[in-house]
Amino acid sequence: MPRGLLVSLVALAACASPRAAAPSFVPAPAPAKPEFFAWGSFPGCSRERAEEDRSRTATLAKMLAGISAPAPETLAPALADIDATWASPCFAHVARLFPRPRITSIEDLRSTWFRGRLSGIGAMLGGLYERDGKRFFYVPPATREPLDAETRRALAPWICEGANADCGNTGSYVSAAEASFDREEERSRQRVESGKYDPCKDAAANEDRDPKPTAFESFALCVASEAPRTYRYPEEVRLRAPQRGWLIVRGRRGHYVFADEIAAYDLATGAAYEARSRSALVLDGPCIDAEAIDEKRELETFTGNVLATAARELAFVVLTAAALRPARTTMTLMPVPADLPLTLSPRLEHAPRASGWGTSEQTTISLTLVDGGTIVAEGSFTYPYSSEPADARANEVLRILEAGREPGCARASLPATLPRSGASGASVLDADPGRQVDVSRKLEDTLLALRRKDCAR
């Protein structure tokens, strides 16, 4: 966010009009300096209430900004102030869409609200932040939520218990993934605040909820779904990555020109075996010509080694995808249409909808972890990009893994048998399911024939 974009809370208080009673449901006169604030018509919110809320928030911000390490006794009153703000009718247009951040310690308080982030709340109490004649909706920072019981059960094989020797081995994987998520969050935030990307411009016109929210609520619901976000792994548990076994990766990569593939990577040594069948789509009217596609196929193999840590990281990212929780590292200002009236219904009966996207180019890559002839775990991710954070990171790690391939003899011998699969990972519009079973079987047989190329022979 550009420096100086949000004024201090002291300045915001000065920008508000003098204390004067105003009907709760009728817009009051514009504040003294409208370049900083646009008043709304929110049930139960008067100028006096907004001033009171803003004063309390300013005091909290000043307290936090004036000390480098808040004392423990400041936590309870700070949380009470945040609770009061989130419960205020003057903050309903934000609070009804974005839950109060989870804060349980001084460290949470500092990381979430330190360095002026409370000023964003002050700018929205009773209306919208306004600058140079443009209005903005404030999206607050957010901390990750803890894992629920069902997710914990699903992640049980990868949650560290006690002093297991292989626990605590994922610090670099977590750090790299979260840094990648943060970069995407920042790119999204810059696109939004530049005004070049407006996903909620026609939100009210496209709204199909019943009962229908106000035009502003339709916009705000869209904002809550589309606001830039990052993702975090859980704090309350330690996760481990598999250290041994064979990671079997299979699926189709590419669309008009593609390769059906199967690869096996030894997590202990980095030994790598790969087989792929390359071809291209041949269209016959609106459908594909499956026979012509198969006639164009060319077989390709690879034997050698990759970085074992990259193979482990790929397995970790995919198999622990359920552990990720959305968060926001900073506040974001979403531009509000100039002609949108700031009105709320007394009660919003709708929740934000999950946001995502997809294209016809995407395919599914499946992963199977095999150890001692037993399937230990299975997962999948979308290739070559995805709106799902774990999938996007898996594609990055796959590129890193393949960039480090070294041809030659493999450091470990491929198992004599592999789990069979007829799945191709391609859309039924692009591949004939019956023929893909045959393609998969041939690729598996080709891969097993590479066993003689390990270094022990």
Side-chain angles (χ1 to χ4, degrees):
M1 181 176 296
R3 187 180 296 275
L5 182 59
L6 289 179
V7 297
S8 69
L9 286 164
V10 175
L12 283 168
C15 293
S17 63
R19 289 182 179 272
S24 298
F25 290 84
V26 179
K33 293 185 179 181
E35 67 270 23
F36 291 126
F37 186 75
W39 183 259
S41 177
F42 302 148
C45 177
S46 65
R47 282 302 178 91
E48 286 141 330
R49 178 60 186 266
E51 291 270 354
E52 178 184 336
D53 292 336
R54 192 173 293 115
S55 176
R56 180 183 62 251
T57 307
T59 300
L60 176 59
K62 185 176 180 180
M63 182 272 291
L64 291 177
I67 51 179
S68 58
E73 58 267 22
T74 66
L75 179 61
L79 295 182
D81 285 339
I82 294 172
D83 285 338
T85 299
W86 238 258
S88 170
C90 296
F91 200 58
H93 55 310
V94 177
R96 62 173 59 184
L97 299 171
F98 299 100
R100 171 204 181 282
R102 184 176 61 93
I103 298 174
T104 59
S105 67
I106 289 295
E107 289 71 24
D108 288 342
L109 189 69
R110 292 184 63 199
S111 64
T112 305
W113 302 106
F114 203 60
R115 299 180 182 177
R117 289 177 183 172
L118 280 169
S119 60
I121 291 179
M124 292 288 287
L125 283 164
L128 298 177
Y129 172 69
E130 190 171 79
R131 182 184 183 216
D132 298 330
K134 297 180 180 179
R135 304 177 302 169
F136 297 88
F137 187 93
Y138 167 73
V139 178
T143 52
R144 78 202 87 182
E145 292 297 320
L147 298 177
D148 54 54
E150 183 178 351
T151 303
R152 277 179 172 268
R153 286 192 293 270
L155 293 170
W158 315 114
I159 293 179
C160 295
E161 300 290 354
N164 291 347
D166 60 352
C167 277
N169 61 0
T170 60
S172 63
Y173 302 161
V174 169
S175 295
E178 293 183 346
S180 176
F181 303 151
D182 288 353
R183 288 192 295 271
E184 181 55 35
E185 179 198 32
E186 178 61 17
R187 285 191 291 267
S188 297
R189 189 183 64 80
Q190 290 180 358
R191 286 196 299 270
V192 167
E193 295 186 351
S194 70
K196 298 178 180 178
Y197 174 68
D198 189 359
C200 300
K201 180 180 179 181
D202 300 316
N206 298 328
E207 190 59 80
D208 60 355
R209 303 175 197 247
D210 185 30
K212 194 173 181 65
T214 68
F216 177 77
E217 287 171 335
S218 294
F219 169 83
L221 283 163
C222 177
V223 164
S225 300
E226 298 286 348
R229 69 193 67 191
T230 187
Y231 293 85
R232 288 287 181 267
Y233 285 93
E235 295 178 302
E236 68 271 23
V237 298
R238 291 184 304 151
L239 297 173
R240 69 180 184 87
Q243 299 293 296
R244 67 179 193 180
W246 286 84
L247 188 66
I248 313 302
V249 182
R250 60 178 101 217
R252 173 173 291 192
R253 289 203 278 169
H255 184 33
Y256 292 107
V257 177
F258 64 86
D260 291 309
E261 305 177 356
I262 181 171
Y265 303 108
D266 180 29
L267 300 188
T269 66
Y273 299 84
E274 301 172 357
R276 53 184 51 88
S277 176
R278 297 190 179 278
S279 189
L281 292 186
V282 178
L283 300 180
D284 182 11
C287 303
I288 61 167
D289 186 334
E291 184 175 351
I293 291 173
D294 285 347
E295 289 176 354
K296 295 167 64 73
R297 288 186 179 275
E298 296 180 1
L299 191 62
E300 179 182 290
T301 62
F302 169 87
T303 306
N305 301 281
V306 298
L307 291 173
T309 184
R312 295 172 199 157
E313 184 173 6
L314 179 61
F316 170 77
V317 169
V318 175
L319 298 178
T320 63
L324 290 176
R325 290 292 180 269
R328 275 183 296 276
T329 59
T330 187
M331 56 189 172
T332 301
L333 294 178
M334 301 283 279
V336 180
D339 58 349
L340 193 64
L342 304 187
T343 57
L344 296 181
S345 55
R347 178 182 177 184
L348 182 64
E349 300 181 3
H350 308 287
R353 292 167 173 164
S355 177
W357 49 264
T359 76
S360 60
E361 187 178 8
Q362 291 173 321
T363 59
T364 300
I365 306 298
S366 65
L367 270 66
T368 306
L369 180 60
V370 181
D371 189 10
T374 301
I375 295 178
V376 176
E378 295 179 288
S380 64
F381 65 96
T382 300
Y383 177 90
Y385 39 67
S386 174
S387 58
E388 293 297 320
D391 290 3
R393 180 56 186 165
N395 281 295
E396 292 180 343
V397 176
L398 181 62
R399 289 192 289 272
I400 293 170
L401 181 151
E402 293 183 333
R405 293 191 310 175
E406 295 182 351
C409 64
R411 300 190 189 104
S413 181
L414 189 67
T417 59
L418 295 174
R420 294 280 187 171
S421 172
S424 69
S427 166
V428 293
L429 298 177
D430 295 340
D432 177 84
R435 286 178 176 270
Q436 286 302 114
V437 172
D438 292 337
V439 171
S440 296
R441 293 290 186 263
K442 290 177 181 178
L443 283 173
E444 291 163 357
D445 292 342
T446 300
L447 193 74
L448 290 171
L450 299 176
R451 291 184 68 241
R452 65 181 182 277
K453 294 188 178 181
D454 65 87
C455 294
R457 296 175 188 269

